[in-house]
Amino acid sequence: MHKPARTWLGVFMTGFAVIVALFLVTLFTQPAEGGLTRIGRVSEDAFGWRSVPPDIPMAHVRGWEPADADILVIGDSFSMYYAWQSPLVAAGYKVATTHWDRSGPLCADFPAWLTSIGFKGRMVILESIERLLPERLEQAQGCKTMIRRPLKALPVPTQSPAQPAPGFRLNWESPLTTGLITYLNTRQIVKTDGVVDVEHERFGDYIFSSPVADGCRQFSSRVCDKSLFLTADRTNRELQPRDAEFMSTVAHRAAPVKVMWMVVPNKTTVYLDTHNAAAFVARSNALGVGPDLFAMAQEQRLRIIDLYWPNDTHWSMQGQLYFGNRMVDAVRAAGLEPLP
């Protein structure tokens, strides 16, 4: 065989061997189920949750159109599971759930907008994750009129959101290099004592890992002394007392409909930056704009394993039910009983 042919064949076989090796590593890398493991390309086997979720009967995973509900929830991804709302449904309330993307900012004509969508109920719950609330409030302060169009509720899940932790399956769908990148990222996190910013060529420093004090009392993942977090939790503007004051204004504007704000603390606030938004929380409590989920989360994170999923930014189903039951308490404390 001529030397050029041997050289070409050697290059081809080397390349083929590399491709096969990358394929096999990715094939046997468990597909990421959590938002943080997926975007960060971090091992699901290491950071996936393994706790047993509580039962959420499908009879309680229900939604009504706004015109038929006595509680309207405008929320974000924390509300899309229809899980924290299930205790309200179990208590007899008819709950409609929609997303901020569908409602748009809460402009000055918010009360008239409620009438325009046919809402005849008695309470609106405004659920928002902490990191996105400053932007939502700033948009609300800068607008006069909400878009007048029929508002549809979010689709109701076809199965209970309380499902067992995903088991291992072969990874046929990820790009060829995913397995190697996942291995390298996970190894760096496990071997590093401090914070690791996980780089992504498209998203940049989108997530980070950090040690968590008493982490194995709080997370069920195999690597439980550390967890994954969203960088935006720390880079987005911190909530301030003036935000609580505007939230109170929005609530009073809607009278006689009761408005209750449901501010979900960032995962980072709960497990790392525990004093974040403290002045906002104090002012919110003084104004009574909604239940103090920040204090509840601090109280429960050492009592409820996986209050937030270790591989995601969201509450686990344990967290969903805990906070949902606290919302039932808050709704009842506000004097709202379910209609017969």
Side-chain angles (χ1 to χ4, degrees):
M1 184 180 293
H2 295 296
K3 185 175 181 181
R6 287 198 302 271
T7 301
W8 180 89
L9 183 61
V11 170
F12 174 81
M13 293 304 296
T14 300
F16 180 75
V18 169
I19 290 172
V20 170
L22 289 172
F23 170 73
L24 290 174
V25 171
T26 295
L27 183 66
F28 288 95
T29 296
Q30 184 174 343
E33 305 288 345
L36 296 177
T37 47
R38 183 177 64 254
I39 295 171
R41 291 172 298 186
V42 177
S43 169
E44 185 71 24
D45 181 64
F47 285 95
W49 54 277
R50 300 183 297 160
S51 54
V52 178
D55 181 48
I56 302 180
M58 277 303 291
H60 301 157
V61 182
R62 295 188 59 190
W64 285 259
E65 289 299 323
D68 302 319
D70 50 17
I71 297 176
L72 171 64
V73 173
I74 300 176
D76 50 32
S77 54
F78 278 78
S79 297
M80 293 178 68
Y81 300 96
Y82 277 79
W84 73 259
Q85 301 96 310
S86 64
L88 286 169
V89 174
Y93 297 97
K94 295 179 180 178
V95 183
T97 298
T98 193
H99 196 280
W100 288 98
D101 289 347
R102 297 189 178 198
S103 69
L106 304 180
C107 302
D109 65 343
F110 174 51
W113 176 81
L114 289 173
T115 301
S116 76
I117 64 170
F119 181 63
K120 305 178 185 67
R122 297 164 291 157
M123 177 176 283
V124 177
I125 297 177
L126 302 172
E127 178 270 310
S128 176
I129 182 64
E130 174 191 349
R131 67 176 173 273
L132 296 180
L133 186 54
E135 180 183 356
R136 287 169 175 154
L137 295 176
E138 287 161 10
Q139 290 174 342
Q141 292 178 64
C143 67
K144 299 291 184 183
T145 304
M146 298 179 72
I147 297 173
R148 299 298 178 88
R149 57 188 172 86
L151 187 74
K152 293 293 185 181
L154 288 174
V156 178
T158 56
Q159 61 179 0
S160 172
Q163 296 293 316
F168 177 80
R169 58 189 174 91
L170 295 176
N171 191 349
W172 294 98
E173 299 174 356
S174 295
L176 190 63
T177 58
T178 298
L180 177 61
I181 294 171
T182 298
Y183 168 77
L184 294 173
N185 286 345
T186 305
R187 185 179 67 171
Q188 183 185 15
I189 290 170
V190 171
K191 289 183 174 293
T192 303
D193 292 333
V195 171
V196 175
D197 293 315
V198 182
E199 293 280 351
H200 192 287
E201 63 272 9
R202 179 181 175 189
F203 301 108
D205 293 341
Y206 199 87
I207 76 163
F208 68 96
S209 71
S210 174
V212 176
D214 292 319
C216 293
R217 290 178 58 193
Q218 299 171 80
F219 295 115
S220 66
S221 48
R222 295 184 194 281
V223 177
C224 54
D225 58 339
K226 301 174 182 179
S227 195
L228 306 175
F229 300 90
L230 201 61
T231 303
D233 285 359
R234 286 181 162 173
T235 57
N236 287 12
R237 176 175 75 78
E238 184 177 354
L239 286 165
Q240 301 295 328
R242 67 177 184 274
D243 295 314
E245 290 161 5
F246 180 70
M247 291 159 65
S248 179
T249 298
V250 171
H252 284 108
R253 194 185 281 165
V257 175
K258 295 180 183 293
V259 171
M260 181 179 295
W261 288 88
M262 181 184 179
V263 184
V264 178
N266 296 334
K267 182 181 178 183
T268 307
T269 299
V270 175
Y271 295 98
L272 301 179
D273 307 329
T274 57
H275 297 293
N276 196 53
F280 161 81
V281 172
R283 188 63 177 144
S284 296
N285 291 341
L287 293 170
V289 298
D292 185 353
L293 273 59
F294 288 73
M296 295 178 193
Q298 283 303 314
E299 204 174 82
Q300 296 301 316
R301 67 187 179 96
L302 290 168
R303 299 178 182 177
I304 299 176
I305 197 160
D306 294 340
L307 184 68
Y308 287 64
W309 276 315
N311 62 351
D312 204 287
T313 63
H314 296 92
W315 292 327
S316 68
M317 291 302 113
Q318 293 91 307
Q320 290 271 351
L321 281 193
Y322 170 76
F323 288 108
N325 280 303
R326 301 295 73 75
M327 291 306 296
V328 173
D329 296 340
V331 168
R332 285 173 172 162
L336 190 71
E337 292 296 331
L339 293 173

Coordinates of all heavy atoms in Angstrom, one line a residue, residues 53-62 81-87 159-163 316-322:
P53 N -41.9 11.2 45.5 CA -42.9 12.3 45.6 C -44.2 12.0 46.2 O -44.6 10.8 46.2 CB -43.1 12.7 44.1 CG -42.8 11.4 43.4 CD -41.8 10.7 44.2
P54 N -44.9 12.9 46.9 CA -46.2 12.7 47.5 C -47.2 12.4 46.4 O -47.0 12.8 45.2 CB -46.5 13.9 48.2 CG -45.7 15.0 47.5 CD -44.5 14.4 47.0
D55 N -48.3 11.8 46.7 CA -49.4 11.5 45.8 C -50.1 12.8 45.5 O -50.5 13.6 46.5 CB -50.3 10.5 46.4 CG -51.4 10.1 45.4 OD1 -51.2 9.9 44.2 OD2 -52.6 10.1 45.9
I56 N -50.4 13.1 44.3 CA -51.3 14.2 43.9 C -52.4 13.6 43.0 O -52.1 13.3 41.8 CB -50.5 15.3 43.1 CG1 -49.4 15.9 44.0 CG2 -51.5 16.5 42.7 CD1 -48.6 17.0 43.4
P57 N -53.5 13.4 43.5 CA -54.6 12.7 42.7 C -55.0 13.6 41.5 O -55.1 14.8 41.6 CB -55.8 12.6 43.7 CG -55.2 12.7 45.1 CD -54.0 13.6 44.9
M58 N -55.3 12.9 40.4 CA -55.7 13.7 39.2 C -57.0 14.4 39.4 O -57.3 15.4 38.7 CB -55.8 12.7 38.0 CG -54.5 12.4 37.3 SD -53.7 13.9 36.7 CE -54.7 14.4 35.4
A59 N -57.8 13.9 40.4 CA -59.1 14.6 40.7 C -58.8 16.1 41.2 O -59.7 16.9 41.1 CB -59.8 13.9 41.7
H60 N -57.6 16.3 41.7 CA -57.2 17.7 42.2 C -56.4 18.4 41.2 O -56.1 19.6 41.4 CB -56.5 17.5 43.5 CG -57.3 16.8 44.6 ND1 -56.7 16.2 45.7 CD2 -58.6 16.6 44.7 CE1 -57.6 15.7 46.4 NE2 -58.8 15.9 45.9
V61 N -56.0 17.8 40.1 CA -55.2 18.5 39.0 C -56.2 19.0 38.0 O -56.4 18.3 37.0 CB -54.2 17.5 38.4 CG1 -53.3 18.3 37.4 CG2 -53.3 16.9 39.5
R62 N -56.8 20.1 38.3 CA -57.9 20.6 37.5 C -57.8 22.1 37.3 O -57.1 22.8 38.0 CB -59.3 20.3 38.2 CG -59.6 18.9 38.3 CD -61.1 18.7 38.8 NE -62.0 19.3 37.9 CZ -63.3 19.5 38.2 NH1 -63.8 19.2 39.3 NH2 -64.1 20.1 37.3
Y81 N -47.4 23.2 36.5 CA -47.6 21.8 36.9 C -49.0 21.6 37.4 O -49.4 20.4 37.6 CB -46.6 21.4 38.0 CG -45.2 21.5 37.7 CD1 -44.4 22.7 38.0 CD2 -44.5 20.5 37.0 CE1 -43.1 22.8 37.7 CE2 -43.2 20.6 36.7 CZ -42.4 21.7 37.0 OH -41.1 21.8 36.7
Y82 N -49.7 22.6 37.8 CA -51.0 22.5 38.4 C -50.9 21.8 39.8 O -51.9 21.1 40.2 CB -52.1 21.9 37.5 CG -52.7 22.8 36.6 CD1 -52.1 23.2 35.4 CD2 -54.0 23.3 36.8 CE1 -52.7 24.1 34.5 CE2 -54.6 24.2 35.9 CZ -53.9 24.6 34.7 OH -54.5 25.4 33.8
A83 N -49.7 21.8 40.4 CA -49.5 21.0 41.6 C -49.8 21.8 42.8 O -50.5 21.3 43.7 CB -48.0 20.5 41.6
W84 N -49.2 23.0 43.0 CA -49.5 23.8 44.2 C -50.9 24.2 44.3 O -51.5 24.4 45.3 CB -48.5 25.0 44.4 CG -48.8 26.2 43.4 CD1 -48.1 26.5 42.3 CD2 -49.8 27.2 43.6 NE1 -48.6 27.6 41.8 CE2 -49.6 28.1 42.5 CE3 -50.8 27.5 44.6 CZ2 -50.4 29.2 42.4 CZ3 -51.6 28.6 44.4 CH2 -51.4 29.5 43.3
Q85 N -51.6 24.3 43.1 CA -53.0 24.7 43.1 C -53.9 23.5 43.6 O -55.1 23.7 43.9 CB -53.5 25.1 41.7 CG -52.7 26.3 41.1 CD -51.6 25.9 40.2 OE1 -50.8 25.0 40.6 NE2 -51.5 26.4 39.0
S86 N -53.4 22.3 43.5 CA -54.2 21.1 43.8 C -54.8 21.1 45.3 O -55.9 20.7 45.5 CB -53.4 19.8 43.6 OG -52.3 19.7 44.4
P87 N -54.1 21.6 46.3 CA -54.7 21.7 47.6 C -55.9 22.7 47.6 O -56.9 22.5 48.3 CB -53.6 22.2 48.5 CG -52.3 21.7 47.9 CD -52.6 21.8 46.4
Q159 N -51.5 13.8 33.1 CA -51.2 12.8 34.2 C -50.8 13.6 35.4 O -50.4 14.8 35.3 CB -50.2 11.8 33.7 CG -48.8 12.4 33.4 CD -47.8 11.3 32.9 OE1 -48.1 10.2 32.9 NE2 -46.6 11.8 32.6
S160 N -50.8 13.0 36.5 CA -50.4 13.6 37.8 C -49.0 14.1 37.7 O -48.1 13.4 37.2 CB -50.5 12.7 39.0 OG -50.0 13.2 40.1
P161 N -48.7 15.4 38.1 CA -47.3 15.8 38.1 C -46.4 15.1 39.1 O -45.2 15.2 39.0 CB -47.5 17.3 38.5 CG -48.7 17.4 39.2 CD -49.6 16.4 38.6
A162 N -47.0 14.4 40.0 CA -46.2 13.6 41.0 C -45.8 12.3 40.4 O -46.5 11.3 40.5 CB -46.9 13.5 42.3
Q163 N -44.7 12.2 39.7 CA -44.2 11.0 39.1 C -42.9 10.5 39.7 O -42.1 11.4 40.3 CB -43.9 11.2 37.6 CG -45.2 11.6 36.8 CD -46.2 10.4 36.7 OE1 -45.8 9.3 36.5 NE2 -47.4 10.7 36.9
S316 N -39.8 20.9 44.1 CA -40.2 19.5 43.9 C -41.7 19.4 44.1 O -42.4 20.3 44.5 CB -39.5 18.6 44.8 OG -39.9 18.8 46.2
M317 N -42.2 18.2 44.0 CA -43.7 18.0 44.3 C -43.9 18.1 45.8 O -44.9 18.5 46.2 CB -44.2 16.6 43.8 CG -44.2 16.6 42.3 SD -45.3 17.8 41.5 CE -44.1 18.8 40.6
Q318 N -42.9 17.7 46.6 CA -43.0 18.0 48.0 C -43.1 19.5 48.3 O -44.0 19.9 49.1 CB -41.7 17.5 48.8 CG -41.5 15.9 48.7 CD -40.7 15.5 47.5 OE1 -41.0 15.8 46.4 NE2 -39.6 14.7 47.8
G319 N -42.3 20.3 47.6 CA -42.4 21.7 47.8 C -43.7 22.3 47.3 O -44.4 23.1 47.9
Q320 N -44.2 21.8 46.1 CA -45.4 22.2 45.5 C -46.6 22.0 46.5 O -47.4 22.9 46.7 CB -45.7 21.5 44.2 CG -44.8 21.8 43.1 CD -45.3 23.0 42.2 OE1 -46.4 23.4 42.4 NE2 -44.4 23.4 41.3
L321 N -46.7 20.8 47.1 CA -47.8 20.6 48.0 C -47.6 21.4 49.3 O -48.6 21.8 49.9 CB -47.9 19.1 48.3 CG -48.5 18.2 47.3 CD1 -48.8 16.8 47.9 CD2 -49.8 18.8 46.7
Y322 N -46.4 21.5 49.8 CA -46.2 22.2 51.1 C -46.7 23.7 50.9 O -47.5 24.2 51.6 CB -44.8 22.2 51.5 CG -44.6 23.2 52.7 CD1 -45.0 22.9 54.0 CD2 -44.0 24.5 52.4 CE1 -44.9 23.9 55.0 CE2 -43.9 25.4 53.4 CZ -44.3 25.1 54.7 OH -44.2 26.0 55.7

